[in-house]
Amino acid sequence: MWGYRVAQSFVFAIEEINRSTHLLPNLTLGFSIRNSGDSAHGALYETMGFLTGQEEPIPNYTCQHGSPQAALVGDTRSSLSVSMARLLGLYKFPQVSYSSSLPSLSDKIQFPSFIRTLTSDLTSSHAVTQLIIHFQWSWVIILAHDDDFGQQASSLASQVLTPAGVCIEFYLYVPSHQSLGKIEETVRKMQKCTARVVLVFLSNYNFQLILYGLLAVPVSGQVWVSKDTLHMALALTIPGISQVLQGTFGLLYHSSRAIGFPEFLAHLRPSQTPEDMFIKKFWEFTFDCMWPYQNITVTEGVQFCTGNESLKNKPHPFPEVSKIDAAYTAVYSIAHALHDMISYEHQDGKGTNSQDFQPWQLLHVLRKVHFKTPDGSEIMFDANGDLVTKFDIFQGQKTPDGVFHLVCVGLIDPQASSGNKMMVQLKEDLQVPTSVCSESCLPGFSQVPRLGAPHCCFDCSPCPEGQFADQRDMKRCLLCPKKQYSSHTRDHCLPRTEIFLAFEEPLGFILALVALLLAGLAVLVLGVFLKHRDTPVVRANNRTLSYFLLISLSLCALCALLFLGKPTVTTCLLRQTTFAVVFTVAVSSVLAKTLTVVLAFRVTRPRSRIQICLSPGASTSVVLIASLIQVVLCGVWLAHFPPFPDKDMISEPQHIVIQCHDGSGATFFCVLGYLGFLAGGTFSVAFLARDLPDVFNETKFLTFSMLLFCSVWTAFLPLYYSARGKSTVAVEIFSILASTAGLLGGIFIPKCCIILLKPEKNTSSWLRQGHHV
């Protein structure tokens, strides 16, 4: 019987308007209430009777006297409103609906005279999707009717939600007709769902059937979201519903509040309106009583209606409130349109006659009406004839006793929208559960899609070295700028520091100290040899070559210092070339000394060609020629592919390694290859001569020292190319110093021991006695 209260709100609004001194001050509104019988036939019959003014209507024939009909308000159900709207549209007769939300009624081509004081189902469906987006629910179920509206609403929801990153786990469609088998099948599917949010586009009856079905099966608490608060109100009345629902959200469009209507209804009495044929049935239903009739036998326990019962303490069921307010607003919309039409001055200076106007004239004004109702609500319609309004967001909140009640927690404003997104305002302390297929990826991680799953289902993978993710749920990690590196947590980048093997750091200091010590030792040995230059040990095997070798070894040790410190253009040019040249001098000196020993033991007669090769000039020529070839190679290298300072951004993620780029790898290998060729040849000759008589013969020392030299540089290559950053420089310095120490120690330390510690062996007489060194 809620329709009777709506009809009374209609009466209340007309009486309020008639009392107003501002709205239609010189005009009194009348009305008639007709019963369609909840059928399309009845609705059309009563509509035609209203248009023609006849009890037995004849189409296209009007029999009416007095004031014209202005507009029609109704009907309740959309199916009835569609039938009425098609008929009224033919006559351009205004129809204002307070309850029909069917989307197709927004089509002004089919229904040109239809206007409503509520929103279309599609508008409210669009609004409820904004709630899902705002709460960041990315994993939802859509439960809809298997009819045009359900398909259209779910399609619209998908079009809005999918671009916003929301995934639909299942589309569950329920037939519009009552089908318990389909309801049970839907319940079984919902048991398997992992989404915790259900978006509902169902009728009230099927909605309740689904909830009752879920009560009979084990299912985790879900959040049900509907475009209609009526769903939520019905759901919360089901006993034990807290087992199924974790929460509910519904929307209620803003409408004018019928202030004073409860008091108006409280003073309603059947005796005051004897012409009202509906009031007695309403009274019986509301107060659970019966009117005493003469032909009815009184049974025990039956309460009779007195007509003095009061509606004052009878609360309105929640669903009725919105319908009452919408009907109240519909009447005010018509009244304001009449007021504007009458007050409007045409260009010829004449206004519209309130007793003689055409329906299309009022319809034209009604579409553009814009006013405020007594409670301050602003009323206007859009181009489709739908009410321009906001939506209140109601949440079914659970009390400590497990009982739900509806609480307004915010609003949605479709007018304050940006593109396809409406403005959503909510209370700050509102707590809502989450509904996601995968937990959010923290900063430092990126999403990795799961094969065969929607994009909302993913795994979280940590960002690799050099990349970062500074926000949650990033699709991919971002590269850090070249001069930055990713933090340990991979959620931001830090500036990279420039590094090089400096003198100040411990390793650089130790290497520099060793280089100076070796250079000093070579100079010291050179001094010993100069002081004892006429002794047999120094004179043996060409003392000039010994001087060359000691000087080159001293320079070899000192050239290691070029590899320390920040690389510059000068040091990069000198590093490898100086190293190559001085080591070539050293190795070629060893080669010359080895050849001298070998050739000395092959001299059989004076002034032979071999004896000529033993002259000091010949040995020096070997050193000069070998060194000159290396100098030419280095010159070509410097002329065409000179080394230069470079920044290594790859070797060490947290640092920028300042190093010397070789310029041309091929040229560099040619220089090293030539040096290796000399070293290999020298070692081979020394190895073959190792068994020659060893009185002041240094072939064994030369063999041992060249073995050390070749071993160091053979190990150098893999170490050099496996090392990273400034470690490569340290490896090369170590190889330079180790090979220098090997040559210096292997060749000259034994001789220094004889010169300094055993001077008696460093005499010609001792040699003539046949002793060995």
Side-chain angles (χ1 to χ4, degrees):
M1 294 301 291
W2 64 270
Y4 185 78
R5 283 189 173 91
V6 175
Q8 287 302 313
S9 72
F10 180 84
V11 176
F12 170 72
I14 290 179
E15 291 184 1
E16 192 175 60
I17 291 168
N18 286 337
R19 291 194 302 268
S20 173
T21 58
H22 303 288
L23 183 60
L24 299 174
N26 299 318
L27 192 66
T28 300
L29 294 178
F31 66 92
S32 65
I33 298 177
R34 295 174 177 262
N35 184 13
S36 65
D38 198 28
S39 69
H41 177 269
L44 288 173
Y45 184 84
E46 293 297 334
T47 301
M48 186 61 72
F50 177 72
L51 290 174
T52 62
Q54 304 174 67
E55 291 297 329
E56 297 294 332
I58 300 174
N60 299 323
Y61 178 76
T62 302
C63 180
Q64 59 177 323
H65 304 283
S67 302
Q69 289 95 338
L72 187 147
V73 178
D75 197 341
T76 304
R77 291 200 298 119
S78 292
S79 59
L80 306 184
S81 292
V82 169
S83 300
M84 295 167 58
R86 292 190 188 278
L87 177 60
L88 294 170
L90 298 175
Y91 299 96
K92 299 297 188 290
F93 195 92
Q95 176 188 4
V96 183
S97 175
Y98 58 86
S99 182
S100 302
S101 57
L102 193 68
S104 61
L105 288 168
S106 297
D107 186 353
K108 293 302 102 180
I109 296 177
Q110 294 188 62
F111 311 104
S113 63
F114 182 85
I115 294 173
R116 50 187 163 194
T117 53
L118 71 165
T119 59
S120 162
D121 281 334
L122 290 185
T123 303
S124 54
S125 299
H126 189 189
V128 80
T129 60
Q130 303 301 306
L131 195 62
I132 290 177
I133 295 172
H134 185 83
F135 285 139
Q136 298 182 347
W137 289 326
S138 61
W139 192 233
V140 301
I141 305 166
I142 291 183
L143 187 61
H145 264 313
D146 191 10
D147 57 11
D148 289 344
F149 166 67
Q151 297 282 354
Q152 196 173 7
S154 58
S155 176
L156 171 69
S158 178
Q159 291 173 15
V160 175
L161 295 176
T162 301
V166 180
C167 296
I168 313 300
E169 183 179 13
F170 287 110
Y171 292 91
L172 302 177
Y173 292 104
V174 181
S176 301
H177 59 276
Q178 299 178 12
S179 174
L180 293 179
K182 187 65 176 179
I183 295 293
E184 292 176 358
E185 181 184 347
T186 302
V187 170
R188 286 195 299 271
K189 288 181 179 179
M190 294 189 68
Q191 279 185 273
K192 302 176 183 178
C193 295
T194 59
R196 300 180 65 186
V197 172
V198 183
L199 182 55
V200 181
F201 301 111
L202 286 179
S203 67
N204 299 331
Y205 180 75
N206 278 339
F207 180 70
Q208 288 181 299
L209 287 180
I210 293 288
L211 291 182
Y212 277 117
L214 290 173
L215 282 173
V217 297
V219 64
S220 59
Q222 293 173 318
V223 178
W224 292 64
V225 183
S226 173
K227 67 177 186 61
D228 194 347
T229 311
L230 176 58
H231 281 156
M232 303 301 103
L234 292 173
L236 302 185
T237 61
I238 299 176
I241 196 62
S242 60
Q243 300 174 18
V244 177
L245 300 183
Q246 184 174 346
T248 61
F249 286 92
L251 302 183
L252 179 65
Y253 58 86
H254 268 301
S255 184
S256 174
R257 298 291 180 256
I259 300 173
F261 179 69
E263 291 76 11
F264 170 82
L265 207 60
H267 290 90
L268 191 65
R269 296 290 184 275
S271 59
Q272 296 174 355
T273 55
E275 71 280 2
D276 189 344
M277 67 179 70
F278 305 110
I279 191 169
K280 286 191 175 182
K281 289 185 179 180
F282 171 73
W283 216 261
E284 288 180 345
F285 179 83
T286 303
F287 295 105
D288 194 21
C289 62
M290 290 182 60
W291 292 99
Y293 297 105
Q294 293 180 356
N295 59 347
I296 294 181
T297 303
V298 179
T299 58
E300 186 177 354
V302 174
Q303 182 179 355
F304 288 107
C305 302
T306 65
N308 294 321
E309 291 87 357
S310 176
L311 292 167
K312 184 176 183 179
N313 296 322
K314 289 286 185 181
H316 303 323
F318 190 86
E320 293 184 17
V321 176
S322 60
K323 296 290 189 287
I324 289 170
D325 293 338
Y328 177 82
T329 304
V331 175
Y332 262 90
S333 300
I334 298 170
H336 275 276
L338 280 169
H339 185 89
D340 293 345
M341 184 183 67
I342 295 170
S343 303
Y344 181 74
E345 294 293 332
H346 292 289
Q347 292 182 357
D348 57 3
K350 294 182 180 180
T352 303
N353 188 349
S354 63
Q355 299 301 316
D356 184 17
F357 63 89
Q358 297 298 318
W360 62 264
Q361 292 177 288
L362 178 61
L363 178 61
H364 178 72
V365 179
L366 184 57
R367 288 173 176 171
K368 299 181 179 180
V369 73
H370 189 180
F371 65 95
K372 287 188 177 181
T373 56
D375 71 334
S377 298
E378 189 174 8
I379 303 297
M380 61 183 297
F381 303 100
D382 61 18
N384 296 322
D386 299 332
L387 182 68
V388 176
T389 184
K390 301 175 183 178
F391 293 91
D392 286 322
I393 303 171
F394 283 86
Q395 182 187 23
Q397 296 182 353
K398 190 187 296 184
T399 64
D401 299 331
V403 179
F404 281 97
H405 64 285
L406 289 174
V407 178
C408 183
V409 295
L411 64 86
I412 297 177
D413 188 359
Q415 305 308 307
S417 61
S418 175
N420 206 30
K421 189 175 182 181
M422 299 180 182
M423 185 187 73
V424 180
Q425 293 180 342
L426 291 163
K427 292 182 178 179
E428 294 182 358
D429 58 345
L430 185 63
Q431 299 292 326
V432 295
T434 59
S435 181
V436 295
C437 180
S438 300
E439 291 298 325
S440 178
C441 291
L442 297 174
F445 293 81
S446 64
Q447 296 178 356
V448 178
R450 295 177 185 168
L451 292 176
H455 67 86
C456 298
C457 303
F458 50 82
D459 297 315
C460 296
S461 174
C463 293
E465 184 69 50
Q467 299 183 23
F468 73 101
D470 58 352
Q471 299 177 10
R472 301 174 72 94
D473 293 326
M474 292 189 66
K475 300 297 182 184
R476 61 182 181 85
C477 297
L478 304 177
L479 285 173
C480 286
K482 287 187 176 181
K483 293 188 177 181
Q484 295 182 0
Y485 70 97
S486 54
S487 63
H488 176 70
T489 54
R490 303 291 193 268
D491 56 357
H492 64 284
C493 295
L494 298 172
R496 299 170 70 174
T497 56
E498 293 185 350
I499 62 168
F500 48 86
L501 192 57
F503 288 96
E504 295 80 9
E505 60 182 288
L507 180 60
F509 177 78
I510 292 173
L511 292 175
L513 184 62
V514 172
L516 292 174
L517 289 175
L518 284 176
L521 182 60
V523 171
L524 184 62
V525 172
L526 178 61
V528 171
F529 268 51
L530 289 174
K531 183 178 180 181
H532 301 88
R533 60 183 175 276
D534 295 325
T535 60
V537 171
V538 176
R539 293 178 62 188
N541 301 112
N542 198 327
R543 59 184 173 187
T544 303
L545 290 177
S546 297
Y547 298 156
F548 273 143
L549 182 56
L550 286 170
I551 294 172
S552 63
L553 289 177
S554 176
L555 294 175
C556 285
L558 291 177
C559 81
L561 300 178
L562 293 173
F563 291 82
L564 295 173
K566 185 175 183 178
T568 62
V569 175
T570 303
T571 55
C572 286
L573 292 173
L574 294 177
R575 274 186 182 183
Q576 303 290 5
T577 52
T578 303
F579 150 74
V581 171
V582 295
F583 263 90
T584 300
V585 173
V587 173
S588 60
S589 297
V590 175
L591 176 61
K593 289 173 71 67
T594 307
L595 289 174
T596 300
V597 174
V598 172
L599 294 176
F601 283 95
R602 296 188 62 183
V603 175
T604 56
R605 51 191 172 82
R607 299 184 181 275
S608 65
R609 184 176 300 175
I610 295 177
Q611 189 174 11
I612 296 173
C613 293
L614 291 175
S615 64
S619 301
T620 305
S621 298
V622 172
V623 175
L624 293 177
I625 293 172
S627 301
L628 182 61
I629 295 173
Q630 186 70 286
V631 169
V632 171
L633 289 175
C634 291
V636 173
W637 185 10
L638 294 179
H640 294 87
F641 312 103
F644 56 89
D646 189 23
K647 294 182 178 180
D648 180 6
M649 315 292 287
I650 300 174
S651 299
E652 297 192 25
Q654 299 182 11
H655 303 99
I656 300 174
V657 181
I658 308 298
Q659 62 181 12
C660 288
H661 192 280
D662 292 332
S664 170
T667 312
F668 175 64
F669 277 110
C670 287
V671 170
L672 283 184
Y674 177 69
L675 182 59
F677 171 75
L678 282 180
T682 304
F683 172 72
S684 300
V685 174
F687 181 78
L688 293 174
R690 69 187 185 281
D691 293 328
L692 294 176
D694 58 352
V695 178
F696 294 124
N697 172 22
E698 55 186 5
T699 52
K700 291 184 179 179
F701 301 140
L702 293 175
T703 303
F704 176 71
S705 62
M706 288 309 301
L707 177 62
L708 290 177
F709 184 91
C710 292
S711 300
V712 168
W713 288 105
T714 301
F716 162 78
L717 290 176
L719 289 175
Y720 182 79
Y721 284 99
S722 62
R724 290 292 180 267
K726 60 183 181 180
S727 299
T728 58
V729 179
V731 167
E732 188 164 3
I733 294 175
F734 177 80
S735 300
I736 290 172
L737 297 179
S739 57
T740 302
L743 291 176
L744 183 62
I747 298 174
F748 294 101
I749 296 301
K751 293 184 177 183
C752 289
C753 290
I754 295 175
I755 295 172
L756 299 176
L757 301 179
K758 299 178 180 181
E760 69 280 1
K761 294 183 178 182
N762 191 16
T763 59
S764 301
S765 59
W766 189 80
L767 289 175
R768 283 193 293 269
Q769 294 175 6
H771 295 92
H772 297 285
V773 177

